[in-house]
Amino acid sequence: MKNIRNFCIIAHIDHGKSTLADRLLEFTNTVEGKDLQEQVLDNMDLERERGITIKSHAIQMDYQYRGEKYTLNLIDTPGHVDFSYEVSRSIAACEGALLIVDATQGIQAQTISNLYMAIEHDLEIVPIMNKMDMDSAMPDEVEDQIVELLGVKRENIIRASGKTGLGVEEILRAIIEKIPAPVGNPDAPLQCLIFDSVFNQFRGIIAYFKIINGTISKSDLVKFVATGKEYDADEIGILRLDMVPKQTLSAGNVGYIISGIKTSKEVKVGDTITHVKYPCDKAIEGFEEVKPMVFAGVYPIDAEDFEDLRSSLEKLQLNDASLTFEPESSAALGFGFRCGFLGMLHMEIIQERLDREFDMSVITTVPNVSYKVYTKKNEMIEVHNPSGLPDIMLIDHIEEPYIRASVITRTEFIGQIMTLCLGKRGELVRQEYISGDRIELIYDMPLGEIVFDFYDKLKSISKGYASFDYHMNGFRPSKLIKLDILLNGESVDALSSLIHFDNAVTLGRRMCEKLKELIPRQQFDIAIQAAIGAKIIARETVKAVRKDVTAKCYGGDITRKRKLLEKQKKGKKRMKQIGSVEVPQKAFLAVLKLD
């Protein structure tokens, strides 16, 4: 065990984690020849296209150092704020972390939040300054920031470049010398922590684990503690670029287990695996259920695909434990699921993955957050969907979730960012100067306000120089009302939203204007209205497409034309009674993009 090192890589999005991981794999000869491509560990097309890591990946490397052979288990993690749950799971399976900071950008919000997460788990931190080959690198300034944040000596900060391979040997030396070997007893009862799982259509569910104590062998009878189910370990092994089967694995190692599990509910990330004959006393602690931040309805375009959508979501949930879903129905869209996501990027990625991996085209409703509604009888109802709101006469007050947001930016953008945060009902808690021209602004803000486009606006205001991170900060009472959209007098539940009283009228107007552009013209007039309760606050009309019935009248008395128009009017009236309005998917999406 003394020659095993388990470590992860943490950094802000786009600071060069995946590129540096490529260099480590190349340097230790884990990946050679034709397998050597950029972003080796990012095996999803979506990750390559967007240049971001969505899933954490584990891989084992061997390295000779001072005549001894060391086994290095690397777990690469995502950097975006929406995937912080993935990061927390990876950190729980490691003893050390490489903290990567971009030498051209310095410390950013996600760097700090991931660092705190690693420190909470008592990981040994190895600070690395990446992208040293770039002309715009500011090594001395960024070094100052790292020293201030971590309190390390300057000579302990490794200067590296993922592109050129500078400093890779130093990093490998630091991993072996600074990161402690895993502690555990190979002879104790078996305790394995599941930190990830994937679905394989031929072999069932493959669970990735780290052995804390004990030894596991092929064809052992094992038990998953949280579900209480028992299985035979058909195959166990270690993770290289492909899976490598082994006969036994003991404490400190990271590996995989295949036991022919077919249903996704039987594998919970964070669960403990133990032997049936000699079980461990207690499960491994420190894993919490994920808390979704944003909720949206996901409906199949064709009602017959409902069951296919269910199985697709179950398989996705295996690979992405932070996705939650439950069935719901909508008058406008039929049967579907209420899904919980960690943020807007997470929602976008899930939608893309449903389309690419499972060929499911879906309609997504307006996303919203969960609210606590207190009735006059002192009952508390949790509402994820505006249509689940009780009658307004029964409500005493509504509480909405607040977040503590940290924005790190340059001083020149402070004014515009403050204006943006105040416009989103934010309250400034404090501001601190991190270094010369960099400042951290701490705000309390309603989560519902940042769900839509806050992140995009922040990036455009600050020319990409602001970074953003947040965590939940309780619930507060708020003056919220339900805004309904009516088409020809009928409420479309998929477009209704809970919104703050001050913004309701302007949003209602803009939604009506936007829908007027997007809803195609029919044979009859369509009235688009925004309503609060019984009060209509805005209206637009999509005019009818009509045939020119008077084209054949040349001259003659006006009554001839009027007679034809009256006849057409009668037909239109009947059509309106039986006509239903088709709302295109574009209309649902456009509502999200309203600024």
Side-chain angles (χ1 to χ4, degrees):
M1 268 177 73
K2 70 178 191 348
N3 284 12
I4 297 177
R5 298 287 182 272
N6 299 319
F7 66 98
C8 60
I9 299 183
I10 52 177
H12 189 78
I13 189 168
D14 206 24
H15 277 203
K17 291 184 299 300
S18 301
T19 316
L20 205 62
D22 290 353
R23 290 297 80 74
L24 291 171
L25 296 175
E26 188 184 349
F27 205 85
T28 54
N29 298 325
T30 310
V31 181
E32 297 175 292
K34 65 179 187 335
D35 293 327
L36 199 62
Q37 51 177 350
E38 292 208 358
Q39 288 175 266
V40 176
L41 294 179
D42 294 350
N43 50 14
M44 238 187 276
D45 290 343
L46 210 56
E47 293 181 309
R48 293 179 175 283
E49 278 168 34
R50 292 181 178 231
I52 58 174
T53 305
I54 294 166
K55 284 289 304 162
S56 53
H57 299 274
I59 192 161
Q60 192 176 90
M61 306 178 273
D62 292 329
Y63 186 57
Q64 288 281 347
Y65 179 67
R66 292 190 178 161
E68 286 194 56
K69 185 181 168 194
Y70 285 87
T71 301
L72 313 178
N73 288 312
L74 156 67
I75 301 175
D76 183 26
T77 62
H80 194 279
V81 59
D82 279 10
F83 304 116
S84 52
Y85 183 66
E86 289 274 329
V87 182
S88 73
R89 295 185 321 186
S90 306
I91 284 175
C94 294
E95 281 83 37
L98 305 183
L99 177 76
I100 295 181
V101 180
D102 186 335
T104 63
Q105 294 183 35
I107 282 171
Q108 306 221 306
Q110 200 61 31
T111 318
I112 296 176
S113 88
N114 286 345
L115 173 70
Y116 287 157
M117 216 187 290
I119 290 172
E120 268 172 40
H121 282 82
D122 291 335
L123 298 199
E124 182 64 41
I125 310 288
V126 177
I128 297 166
M129 216 164 29
N130 195 18
K131 304 195 184 177
M132 286 298 297
D133 59 312
M134 290 183 70
D135 300 336
S136 54
M138 320 170 284
D140 298 336
E141 282 177 47
V142 176
E143 238 174 36
D144 290 342
Q145 293 172 21
I146 297 174
V147 169
E148 203 169 312
L149 181 68
L150 281 174
V152 291
K153 293 180 179 155
R154 281 178 178 277
E155 55 268 23
N156 291 350
I157 300 170
I158 300 170
R159 297 188 172 198
S161 161
K163 203 170 249 177
T164 62
L166 167 80
V168 173
E169 263 188 80
E170 261 185 87
I171 293 170
L172 287 164
R173 198 179 320 137
I175 291 168
I176 289 165
E177 288 176 358
K178 290 184 182 168
I179 293 176
V183 287
N185 180 1
D187 304 321
L190 181 68
Q191 252 188 334
C192 303
L193 170 75
I194 300 179
F195 66 87
D196 205 353
S197 59
V198 290
F199 180 78
N200 181 312
Q201 58 183 10
F202 304 112
R203 315 212 50 185
I205 290 157
I206 304 168
Y208 297 161
F209 60 78
K210 181 202 173 184
I211 307 176
I212 310 289
N213 286 312
T215 305
I216 184 170
S217 303
K218 191 180 170 179
S219 60
D220 279 356
L221 188 62
V222 294
K223 176 180 168 186
F224 287 42
V225 176
T227 55
K229 303 253 181 178
E230 298 175 6
Y231 306 99
D232 284 315
D234 297 340
E235 181 180 313
I236 59 166
I238 56 168
L239 296 152
R240 288 293 171 108
L241 248 193
D242 298 315
M243 298 183 289
V244 182
K246 296 275 181 197
Q247 283 302 315
T248 57
L249 288 172
S250 61
N253 250 312
V254 173
Y256 70 91
I257 178 169
I258 300 176
S259 45
I261 306 170
K262 291 285 184 284
T263 49
S264 55
K265 290 192 178 68
E266 293 175 26
V267 177
K268 283 197 161 55
V269 166
D271 194 0
T272 306
I273 306 176
T274 187
H275 279 134
V276 175
K277 282 187 183 169
Y278 312 106
C280 56
D281 310 335
K282 59 181 197 302
I284 298 160
E285 295 170 2
F287 252 84
E288 68 237 46
E289 285 284 317
V290 61
K291 297 181 192 70
M293 302 281 187
V294 176
F295 296 87
V298 173
Y299 293 85
I301 284 179
D302 196 340
E304 292 166 4
D305 296 339
F306 177 72
E307 282 304 323
D308 293 346
L309 180 60
R310 183 199 295 273
S311 69
S312 305
L313 283 169
E314 279 174 2
K315 286 171 188 167
L316 257 186
Q317 195 178 32
L318 266 179
N319 196 242
D320 184 346
S322 48
L323 169 71
T324 58
F325 63 91
E326 54 187 48
E328 72 161 4
S329 64
S330 145
L333 300 168
F335 290 102
F337 294 93
R338 189 97 204 137
C339 296
F341 307 99
L342 293 183
M344 289 299 278
L345 178 72
H346 188 209
M347 177 174 140
E348 215 176 294
I349 296 288
I350 293 289
Q351 229 177 315
E352 279 271 314
R353 287 183 69 182
L354 279 172
D355 186 27
R356 289 181 185 208
E357 295 172 29
F358 304 100
D359 208 13
M360 292 293 314
S361 303
V362 292
I363 291 177
T364 313
T365 63
V366 180
N368 54 355
V369 296
S370 62
Y371 298 94
K372 288 182 176 174
V373 178
Y374 289 87
T375 61
K376 290 184 175 162
K377 293 179 184 169
N378 246 352
E379 296 169 314
M380 194 277 284
I381 305 165
E382 201 166 280
V383 174
H384 299 315
N385 188 350
S387 58
L389 205 65
D391 191 276
I392 201 154
M393 302 304 288
L394 307 173
I395 296 173
D396 180 51
H397 68 279
I398 302 176
E399 290 188 353
E400 66 174 331
Y402 263 69
I403 56 162
R404 174 65 56 93
S406 143
V407 177
I408 295 180
T409 183
R410 290 188 176 177
T411 41
E412 63 204 81
F413 304 117
I414 291 179
Q416 291 157 294
I417 288 174
M418 282 184 160
T419 311
L420 173 68
C421 293
L422 290 171
K424 299 279 186 190
R425 297 191 283 133
E427 298 163 15
L428 182 65
V429 180
R430 64 175 187 275
Q431 55 187 51
E432 294 170 1
Y433 281 88
I434 296 177
S435 65
D437 66 338
R438 288 164 68 78
I439 188 167
E440 181 177 24
L441 302 168
I442 308 282
Y443 269 93
D444 279 346
M445 297 167 81
L447 179 64
E449 292 281 348
I450 68 152
V451 159
F452 293 133
D453 55 357
F454 179 80
Y455 194 64
D456 299 344
K457 279 190 178 165
L458 181 72
K459 282 290 180 199
S460 52
I461 282 176
S462 64
K463 301 181 181 152
Y465 277 110
S467 60
F468 172 66
D469 183 47
Y470 63 84
H471 58 263
M472 288 303 289
N473 196 24
F475 282 74
R476 296 189 194 179
S478 191
K479 200 173 178 186
L480 296 165
I481 48 175
K482 185 180 169 194
L483 178 71
D484 284 314
I485 298 292
L486 312 175
L487 293 180
N488 277 350
E490 282 186 32
S491 169
V492 181
D493 53 0
L495 287 172
S496 57
S497 52
L498 270 175
I499 188 162
H500 195 262
F501 182 77
D502 299 345
N503 307 341
V505 176
T506 46
L507 185 82
R509 276 208 191 107
R510 289 213 317 276
M511 276 172 94
C512 288
E513 285 163 13
K514 196 77 184 167
L515 287 170
K516 183 185 176 183
E517 291 170 25
L518 292 168
I519 291 178
R521 290 170 71 184
Q522 318 269 339
Q523 297 278 325
F524 50 90
D525 282 4
I526 302 169
I528 304 169
Q529 295 164 310
I532 297 170
K535 186 182 174 193
I536 304 290
I537 55 167
R539 169 178 172 137
E540 293 285 338
T541 308
V542 178
K543 295 309 268 177
V545 183
R546 46 177 253 177
K547 187 178 168 192
D548 189 0
V549 287
T550 58
K552 60 187 179 192
C553 291
Y554 295 108
D557 191 17
I558 186 71
T559 50
R560 285 180 64 202
K561 284 188 179 176
R562 196 162 289 154
K563 189 172 149 194
L564 290 168
L565 289 169
E566 287 296 325
K567 191 175 165 190
Q568 185 187 34
K569 201 170 172 184
K570 268 186 195 162
K572 290 269 183 211
K573 194 172 179 187
R574 192 173 71 245
M575 193 181 274
K576 194 170 187 174
Q577 283 169 355
I578 57 170
S580 66
V581 185
E582 274 191 17
V583 184
Q585 162 74 343
K586 270 194 311 207
F588 291 105
L589 293 178
V591 177
L592 319 184
K593 304 259 188 304
L594 287 175
D595 47 326

